[in-house]
């Protein structure tokens, strides 16, 4: 919105059919290179009116052929056609053949222009069709294009290759290639948004425990610790309680507030009978986020007339898998809210139980649902 004024100035200069902007990315069509340079001067002046500076390193002059290559127009057109075939429910074999043909075409321009955006689309389609041909390059793509991490991790989930997913991320850590905190957090968030099969729970749980116990692993940045803590809840059971308690006792006071909050919430959900210990941890560590959690839990579990904002319970549908899932944080909210003594909250929870019981659930969801429903109906 801030650039609307700038847009109007550019439209008056080059015309509406020759100017396209998406956020701060501006594309202008002109007839000659000489005119292109004059437009850049005008562009610089226009932005200066709003105290902005043009990024000269990202400003490029492209011929029509170079534009086609940079934006991968042919590949995008083929991928748009594949998208239409998927929506029209063409046969899987036909769509897979189209994806392979599009890949052979797009691969000729690997590394040029917006190649990362083309890769993202291929990983999405390959995941939806169960095509494994991108696995051999996934590690290098993850290192080269870290912004693709969500789609690459989701691709492994779509293939049900959970061992490969863990191996991929572990390899990145072992080879000291994990330099971006966002990629690390994305791995754990991917786990929180899928149903890891029971026979893979142990290796994932052990990896998450290792991640929490060693703050210097990977990039050494703290943000992913909270998501890793929630993974212990999502993948765990009563056996995870001791692991979470050990981390809280040993290092909780030194953890970022968001990570400690996640650990305490997970602890309460898995061991509500040990609520006093969790509240004691909140008092001992005493930061703003934990204080608010402590106050809410105390009121929730003691005030029978409490009225509070209740979360919206919906399934998420990952692009690559197209399998609806109630993500981990949804179950965590439901389990914490089951501590409530308030009649209105109990009534709402039982209505949610009735709705969720009609849905198809995966392994992690079934475990959380069984634990939550038992607690819900064990209460007077």
């Amino acid at each position: 919105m801030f650039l609307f004024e700038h847009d109007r100035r550019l439209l008056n200069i080059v015309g509406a059919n020759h100017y396209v902007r998406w956020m701060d990315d501006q594309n202008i069509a002109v007839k000659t290179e000489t005119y292109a340079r004059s437009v850049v001067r005008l562009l610089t002046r226009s932005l200066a009116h709003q105290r902005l500076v043009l990024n000269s390193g990202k400003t490029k002059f492209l011929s029509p052929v170079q534009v086609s290559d940079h934006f991968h127009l042919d590949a995008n057109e083929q991928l748009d056609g594949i998208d239409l075939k998927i929506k029209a429910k063409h046969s899987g074999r036909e769509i897979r053949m189209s994806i392979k043909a599009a890949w052979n075409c797009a691969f000729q321009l690997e590394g040029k222009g917006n190649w990362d955006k083309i890769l993202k689309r291929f990983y999405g389609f390959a995941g939806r069709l169960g095509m494994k041909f991108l696995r051999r390059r996934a590690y290098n793509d993850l290192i080269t294009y870290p912004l693709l991490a969500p789609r690459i991790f989701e691709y492994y989930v779509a293939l049900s290759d959970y061992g490969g997913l863990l191996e991929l991320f572990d390899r990145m850590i072992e080879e000291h290639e994990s330099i971006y905190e966002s990629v690390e957090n994305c791995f754990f968030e991917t786990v929180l948004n899928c149903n890891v099969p029971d026979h893979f729970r142990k290796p994932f749980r052990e990896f998450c425990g290792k991640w929490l116990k060693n703050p210097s692993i990977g990039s050494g940045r703290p943000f992913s610790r909270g998501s890793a803590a929630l993974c212990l809840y999502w993948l765990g059971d009563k056996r995870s309680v001791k692991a979470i308690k050990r981390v809280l006792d040993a290092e909780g006071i030194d953890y970022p507030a968001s990570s400690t909050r996640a650990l305490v919430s997970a602890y309460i959900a898995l061991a509500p009978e040990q609520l006093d210990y969790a509240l004691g941890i909140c008092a001992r560590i005493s930061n703003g986020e934990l204080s608010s959690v402590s106050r809410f839990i105390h009121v929730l579990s003691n005030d029978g007339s409490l009225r509070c904002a209740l979360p919206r319970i919906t399934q998420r549908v990952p692009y690559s898998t197209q399998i609806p899932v109630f993500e981990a944080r949804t179950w965590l909210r439901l389990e914490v809210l089951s501590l409530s003594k308030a009649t209105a909250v109990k009534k709402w929870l039982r209505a949610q139980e009735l709705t969720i019981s009609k849905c198809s659930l995966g392994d992690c969801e079934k475990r959380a649902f069984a634990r939550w429903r038992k607690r819900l109906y064990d209460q007077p």
Side-chain angles (χ1 to χ4, degrees):
M1 291 174 65
F2 182 71
L3 289 176
F4 282 173
E5 182 183 339
H6 166 74
D7 292 336
R8 285 191 288 271
R9 288 191 290 266
L10 263 291
L11 291 173
N12 288 334
I13 295 168
V14 301
N17 292 332
H18 300 92
Y19 174 70
V20 177
R21 176 173 69 83
W22 171 252
M23 304 300 283
D24 62 344
D25 183 11
Q26 302 167 67
N27 300 280
I28 304 167
V30 297
K31 290 184 177 180
T32 68
E33 286 191 30
T34 300
Y35 186 44
R37 285 187 283 272
S38 68
V39 168
V40 169
R41 283 196 296 273
L42 295 169
L43 192 64
T44 303
R45 291 174 192 168
S46 176
L47 290 170
H49 279 297
Q50 292 169 257
R51 300 188 178 185
L52 297 172
V53 179
L54 187 68
N55 188 331
S56 59
K58 292 185 177 180
T59 304
K60 298 178 181 179
F61 297 85
L62 302 175
S63 69
V65 172
Q66 290 171 323
V67 166
S68 179
D69 290 350
H70 181 86
F71 292 104
H72 297 264
L73 298 184
D74 291 339
N76 269 311
E77 187 175 355
Q78 287 181 285
L79 290 168
D80 288 344
I82 291 168
D83 196 26
L84 291 174
K85 287 181 180 179
I86 291 175
K87 290 175 180 176
K89 301 187 184 301
H90 286 220
S91 73
R93 183 175 180 276
E94 179 188 349
I95 297 172
R96 281 189 283 272
M97 288 176 64
S98 297
I99 291 173
K100 277 300 186 84
W103 174 256
N104 291 335
C105 170
F107 188 71
Q108 305 304 314
L109 296 174
E110 181 180 19
K112 290 188 177 182
N114 292 346
W115 173 244
D116 58 329
K117 294 179 173 63
I118 294 298
L119 266 182
K120 181 178 180 179
R121 296 191 74 182
F122 272 110
Y123 272 106
F125 284 136
R128 291 176 74 171
L129 273 296
M131 300 176 71
K132 301 178 180 180
F133 73 99
L134 292 175
R135 282 199 305 185
R136 62 179 178 271
R137 60 174 295 139
Y139 180 75
N140 288 332
D141 285 339
L142 182 62
I143 301 304
T144 308
Y145 307 104
L147 284 175
L148 292 185
R151 186 55 58 84
I152 291 174
F153 292 149
E154 196 178 275
Y155 170 65
Y156 276 83
V157 173
L159 297 179
S160 297
D161 187 6
Y162 294 93
L165 172 63
L166 185 56
E167 184 181 331
L168 177 75
F169 187 64
D170 194 31
R171 178 184 171 189
M172 188 173 71
I173 302 303
E174 291 297 321
E175 296 184 3
H176 306 290
E177 292 284 3
S178 187
I179 56 178
Y180 297 108
E181 185 178 21
S182 60
V183 174
E184 295 169 346
N185 193 61
C186 177
F187 169 77
F188 294 106
E189 288 296 323
T190 299
V191 175
L192 292 172
N193 284 286
C194 71
N195 279 281
V196 177
D198 285 343
H199 56 283
F200 280 112
R201 279 171 54 205
K202 184 177 179 181
F204 272 88
R205 220 171 37 234
E206 288 176 348
F207 184 86
C208 293
K210 180 176 72 172
W211 193 263
L212 283 168
K213 292 172 187 174
N214 187 354
S216 63
I217 196 171
S219 69
R221 301 293 299 158
F223 188 58
S224 62
R225 312 294 164 189
S227 297
L230 290 179
C231 285
L232 283 184
Y233 155 77
W234 184 229
L235 302 169
D237 45 36
K238 284 290 186 182
R239 289 170 293 183
S240 292
V241 172
K242 289 183 179 179
I244 296 173
K245 187 175 186 296
R246 279 196 299 269
V247 174
L248 284 170
D249 287 339
E251 302 169 59
I253 199 165
D254 298 319
Y255 265 45
S258 60
S259 300
T260 314
R261 181 186 62 192
L263 281 164
V264 169
S265 300
Y267 189 90
I268 290 171
L270 292 172
E273 70 280 1
Q274 298 183 36
L275 185 59
D276 289 344
Y277 165 79
L279 295 178
I281 284 287
C282 293
R284 178 166 66 87
I285 297 177
S286 186
N287 61 50
E289 290 196 36
L290 274 185
S291 296
S292 64
V293 169
S294 177
R295 286 195 299 273
F296 175 70
I297 294 297
H298 179 74
V299 173
L300 184 71
S301 57
N302 289 283
D303 186 352
S305 61
L306 174 69
R307 292 184 178 275
C308 60
L310 297 167
R312 186 182 177 193
I313 305 301
T314 57
Q315 289 180 303
R316 177 179 178 269
V317 184
Y319 178 82
S320 297
T321 66
Q322 292 293 294
I323 299 174
V325 59
F326 292 102
E327 59 186 358
R329 285 182 178 83
T330 296
W331 295 104
L332 183 61
R333 293 185 186 104
L334 290 171
E335 291 209 62
V336 170
L337 284 170
S338 67
L339 295 169
S340 178
K341 301 290 192 295
T343 302
V345 177
K346 288 181 180 178
K347 183 178 179 181
W348 178 84
L349 286 170
R350 286 171 180 167
Q352 301 308 311
E353 185 269 334
L354 184 62
T355 301
I356 294 173
S357 66
K358 299 174 183 176
C359 299
S360 176
L361 303 178
D363 286 354
C364 293
E365 293 174 292
K366 288 177 182 176
R367 191 168 53 255
F369 181 67
R371 183 173 60 230
W372 170 61
R373 182 163 59 178
K374 182 175 185 302
R375 190 175 303 158
L376 203 58
Y377 288 100
D378 278 351
Q379 292 183 355

